[in-house]
Amino acid sequence: MPSSPPRQLHLNAFLMNAGHHDAAWRHPLAEPERVTDLTYFQQLAETAERGLLDSVFLADGLTLPGNVRHNALGGFEPLTLLSALAAVTEHIGLIATVSTTFNEPFTTARAFASLDHLSGGRAGWNIVTSGNVDEARNFGRDEHLEHGLRYERAREFVDVAVKLWDSWEDDAIVLDRANGVYADTDKVRPIDHRGTHFRVRGPLNVPRSPQGRPLLVQAGSSEAGKEFAARYAEAVFTAQQTLADAQAFYKDLKSRTTRHGRAADDVRILPGVCPVIGSTEAEARALAQQLTDLQVPEYGVAQLSGMLGTDLTGLPLDGPLPELPDERDINGNKSRFRLVADLARREGLTLRELIARLGGGRGHRVVAGTAEQIADHLQEWFTEGGADGFNIMPPYFPGGLDHFVDQVVPILQTRGLFRTEYTGRTLRDHYGLSRPVGSRAGLPGAVQVGQPA
């Protein structure tokens, strides 16, 4: 029996305006004046593709986060931008964040099916429930939906989207010019979904896309988030500070996935890492310190207050954190609250030290060193059961991504840990995931499209 190919890393480039460090825009190597320039993002996507990375990823929120006085915040709607990036790339996957709390399944399913067609099968959806009351207030609500209710809505939302993507069978379009038949309407079916949160008749008005469905990605690590990921996600973006925590998360999520009747290998786990790269370790640490020195404490305090659900304004920067609320009372990002609180307690960090630690990755691990040392870190987590790959978060753009692609990727390739060429065309190909077979389960009998059921 032929042996299976050796396991290889999956690498995703997380694009974020001037960079992932909250002081990146102040650094002379960054280009914050270009964050609304399409050619800037095209350059980043082309760099990631030159490095043979699996995908580029755009986070998104439906409010202006933090204090724009002190950071280059806000940005393009991700699906719009990724459609433009599809035109200048050929292979790299395109993952957009869309909230299930402030959108509708039909328009979301349509948008991702469109991107999948336009890109030749490279679309991915990072599914979030939103965690910010300011987002709620942009959609006519005084308060955010309760955490558990957000995930209840998200489960139904994704179920509806999948039904819509599956409402066209792969061979529905027949193009029979002689008989005047464009599509076999027995293979284009309404879904007639009636649930707690949504009523959607369907079918989708976009034919089945090259991947069948976009790659489904998830980024929450609360109990509800992990159960959601185990049921639906094919890739998970996560944050851990230690290898032990990463191993525990990896083992837990893979186990949950099998309990949902899926294979453990059906989901790729990708912790975020912010690589600060120098020609020597001292040079890398100097760059990290330079970025820390450029931080605006007022901005860091506000960001940390949001993560911890506690107003830290006016507290001594060189003092400890105050008593924090119980995690059960947090209605925002529970997993990030737990990570930051545990980090502060474990290392006895002052407020100033915690702001510095979080500046580069907002809770994701920051690793400063040579390209060889960065590669060693990625290899250790990969081979020791902490990750299937990584969400790469350069501290500043564009140079931080250039350095990773030109210096770290070749080392990983030499070690046999990363591809030396693209071997497939779709995002699912890159992640080694099969194309889903369209399911007709639960769909009613065929009707003429546009006619009453």
Side-chain angles (χ1 to χ4, degrees):
M1 179 180 295
S3 60
S4 58
R7 181 168 166 258
Q8 290 195 324
L9 281 163
H10 299 284
L11 297 175
N12 174 78
F14 185 168
L15 307 184
M16 179 172 280
N17 285 2
H20 283 274
H21 198 285
D22 61 35
W25 71 277
R26 300 184 68 191
H27 197 280
L29 294 175
E31 300 180 4
E33 68 278 4
R34 297 182 64 199
V35 300
T36 54
D37 179 353
L38 174 59
T39 64
Y40 174 69
F41 288 97
Q42 289 174 331
Q43 175 187 345
L44 295 176
E46 289 168 343
T47 298
E49 186 164 77
R50 174 165 56 81
L52 305 177
L53 272 58
D54 295 63
S55 49
V56 295
F57 160 60
L58 295 173
D60 193 44
L62 298 169
T63 186
L64 186 63
N67 187 343
V68 74
R69 178 180 176 87
H70 300 303
N71 200 354
L73 301 171
F76 293 130
E77 189 283 317
L79 281 162
T80 305
L81 177 55
L82 291 179
S83 294
L85 299 186
V88 297
T89 55
E90 295 183 23
H91 297 282
I92 197 158
L94 307 164
I95 300 176
T97 298
V98 172
S99 171
T100 57
T101 303
F102 302 112
N103 288 285
E104 289 291 323
F106 190 93
T107 51
T108 300
R110 185 188 190 195
F112 277 104
S114 299
L115 179 61
D116 207 46
H117 277 290
L118 292 171
S119 65
R122 295 185 280 141
W125 174 19
N126 179 44
I127 305 162
V128 300
T129 66
S130 299
N132 189 315
V133 68
D134 288 335
E135 293 178 275
R137 290 168 183 167
N138 283 336
F139 289 85
R141 299 175 183 172
D142 292 329
E143 297 296 334
H144 203 8
L145 289 181
E146 185 272 328
H147 188 269
L149 183 58
R150 295 202 304 272
Y151 273 99
E152 176 188 296
R153 176 185 167 98
R155 289 189 291 272
E156 186 178 341
F157 192 115
V158 176
D159 287 339
V160 174
V162 168
K163 289 179 182 179
L164 287 166
W165 289 318
D166 289 352
S167 64
W168 288 68
E169 294 186 36
D170 285 323
D171 57 351
I173 297 176
V174 295
L175 289 175
D176 184 348
R177 291 180 172 88
N179 292 302
V181 178
Y182 174 75
D184 181 347
T185 48
D186 286 342
K187 299 179 178 182
V188 182
R189 306 159 68 86
I191 68 170
D192 282 339
H193 175 89
R194 293 174 179 266
T196 303
H197 301 278
F198 306 106
R199 293 177 59 183
V200 182
R201 182 173 185 272
L204 193 63
N205 56 352
V206 180
R208 191 162 172 84
S209 70
Q211 292 189 111
R213 306 167 197 158
L215 186 81
L216 298 182
V217 185
Q218 187 266 357
S221 299
S222 65
E223 280 300 303
K226 287 187 286 189
E227 279 299 299
F228 184 90
R231 179 175 174 180
Y232 296 104
E234 295 162 301
V236 173
F237 296 153
T238 183
Q240 281 85 39
Q241 284 287 319
T242 68
L243 174 58
D245 286 345
Q247 290 168 325
F249 179 87
Y250 188 95
K251 182 178 180 180
D252 180 30
L253 189 58
K254 295 282 186 173
S255 175
R256 291 173 191 251
T257 301
T258 59
R259 291 202 298 271
H260 279 274
R262 305 169 63 200
D265 202 39
D266 285 347
V267 60
R268 305 285 183 257
I269 298 176
L270 310 172
V273 61
C274 178
V276 183
I277 304 170
S279 58
T280 64
E281 183 177 352
E283 182 181 296
R285 293 192 179 280
L287 174 57
Q289 186 60 52
Q290 188 178 18
L291 287 164
T292 295
D293 292 342
L294 291 171
Q295 285 185 291
V296 178
E298 178 185 341
Y299 179 86
V301 168
Q303 186 179 48
L304 187 56
S305 296
M307 290 181 183
L308 295 176
T310 303
D311 187 1
L312 305 172
T313 306
L315 293 180
L317 290 177
D318 294 311
L321 285 178
E323 185 175 346
L324 298 177
D326 190 292
E327 182 184 329
R328 291 170 294 184
D329 297 327
I330 297 295
N331 194 33
N333 189 327
K334 290 180 181 289
S335 56
R336 193 57 50 89
F337 169 88
R338 186 187 320 118
L339 183 149
V340 173
D342 288 349
L343 173 64
R345 291 170 184 144
R346 182 173 63 245
E347 301 190 19
L349 300 177
T350 66
L351 190 55
R352 188 189 305 276
E353 290 169 336
L354 189 55
I355 289 169
R357 287 288 297 274
L358 297 174
R362 302 173 306 283
H364 295 276
R365 185 164 174 79
V366 179
V367 183
T370 65
E372 193 87 22
Q373 289 172 318
I374 301 298
D376 289 344
H377 172 80
L378 302 185
Q379 182 172 356
E380 180 185 22
W381 280 41
F382 178 62
T383 58
E384 295 299 319
D388 293 310
F390 296 89
N391 207 13
I392 304 301
M393 304 166 58
Y396 68 93
F397 289 113
L401 182 59
D402 285 316
H403 292 159
F404 184 84
V405 163
D406 294 334
Q407 298 176 34
V408 180
V409 166
I411 296 171
L412 298 173
Q413 291 170 327
T414 299
R415 297 179 184 181
L417 294 170
F418 192 62
R419 67 172 65 88
T420 56
E421 62 179 347
Y422 286 113
T423 56
R425 295 285 303 185
T426 72
L427 179 53
R428 290 182 175 279
D429 290 337
H430 304 339
Y431 277 94
L433 297 168
S434 60
R435 184 180 187 276
V437 176
S439 171
R440 295 176 64 161
L443 297 186
V447 299
Q448 294 294 326
V449 177
Q451 300 298 316

